[in-house]
Amino acid sequence: NAGVMQNPRHLVRRRGQEARLRCSPMKGHSHVYWYRQLPEEGLKFMVYLQKENIIDESGMPKERFSAEFPKEGPSILRIQQVVRGDSAAYFCASSPEGVSTDTQYFGPGTRLTVL
Amino acid sequence: AQKVTQAQTEISVVEKEDVTLDCVYETRDTTYYLFWYKQPPSGELVFLIRRNSFDEQNEISGRYSWNFQKSTSSFNFTITASQVVDSAVYFCALSTQETSGSRLTFGEGTQLTVNP
């Protein structure tokens, strides 16, 4: 039973380029969460999605960042016109029912480096 | 609002010592869930335990034990007879019914180094 999959594991972009991070939840999970871990810091919530719906994007920067979780395929976190401050580890987690009793299981993360 | 505080930024011990990682949380909700995750040097996040606010029983799993005390809003984690492989960053996290889904609020993490 595969866990949460994220790809790529490492991504290097130059300033101004776009970054696309993908996340496939665990089998049977339809709720996806994205978190960002800046260097030497804890994880900060970004966005919570169900299939085809954004439920809570209160942690997303207002500009350049977007997320989707289509009916088919993985969840995508998209960062447009990246800047050096976007360099971080981005973690995806999934849970089965989207209730507070759920346990979230995390993917291995995508390390984004902006040159 | 929810908050998790891990006051210990870094801890260094010698192998076989016992070590306790502190976690203090804040929430107005009466129903909430507390978690510990481990982040080894390889970078992934490994789930260790979940505890709900109605269950104050302490839990032991091998060399790991957790002490949940609602009176002090703490959920501390003890590793007995530490080993080098325990070296990692440990995160305490909180979810409540106030927040959407099972969204987690994390502490800043404690870097544990176990020296041979």
Side-chain angles (χ1 to χ4, degrees), chain A residues 4 6 8 12 14 26 36 39 52 57 62 65 76 104 109-110 112 114:
Chain A
V4 179
Q6 286 188 253
V12 179
R14 297 192 178 280
M26 283 181 74
R36 178 165 67 174
E52 300 183 281
E57 56 182 347
K62 296 287 184 252
F65 285 72
I76 306 285
Q104 290 186 20
T110 293
L112 172 65
V114 180

Side-chain angles (χ1 to χ4, degrees), chain A residues 33 35 44 56 98 101 104, chain B residues 33 37 50 100-102 104 108:
Chain A
Y33 304 77
Y35 295 83
K44 305 290 188 212
D56 180 355
T101 51
Q104 290 186 20
Chain B
Y33 302 85
Y37 287 86
R50 184 185 84 189
S100 56
S102 60
L104 292 168
E108 294 300 305

Side-chain angles (χ1 to χ4, degrees), chain B residues 6 14 17 26 32 39 48 55 57 69 71 78 81 101 112:
Chain B
Q6 294 179 254
V14 177
E17 284 185 22
E26 295 176 31
Y32 52 89
Q39 186 175 41
L48 295 178
D55 182 2
Q57 273 195 321
Q69 292 197 345
S71 61
T78 297
L112 173 65

Side-chain angles (χ1 to χ4, degrees), chain A residues 32-110:
Chain A
V32 166
Y33 304 77
W34 286 92
Y35 295 83
R36 178 165 67 174
Q37 185 179 29
L38 293 169
E40 309 300 325
E41 292 188 16
L43 285 84
K44 305 290 188 212
F45 168 78
M46 298 181 75
V47 62
Y48 162 37
L49 310 103
Q50 294 177 26
K51 287 280 187 181
E52 300 183 281
N53 284 304
I54 297 174
I55 307 302
D56 180 355
E57 56 182 347
S58 58
M60 287 276 269
K62 296 287 184 252
E63 297 177 348
R64 303 187 297 108
F65 285 72
S66 62
E68 63 177 9
F69 189 14
K71 188 176 180 180
E72 300 292 336
S75 175
I76 306 285
L77 179 67
R78 182 182 178 206
I79 312 172
Q80 295 179 290
Q81 299 175 337
V82 296
V83 301
R84 290 219 172 107
D86 297 332
S87 294
Y90 293 82
F91 288 93
C92 168
S94 71
S95 71
E97 298 184 16
V99 294
S100 55
T101 51
D102 278 357
T103 293
Q104 290 186 20
Y105 294 92
F106 283 80
T110 293

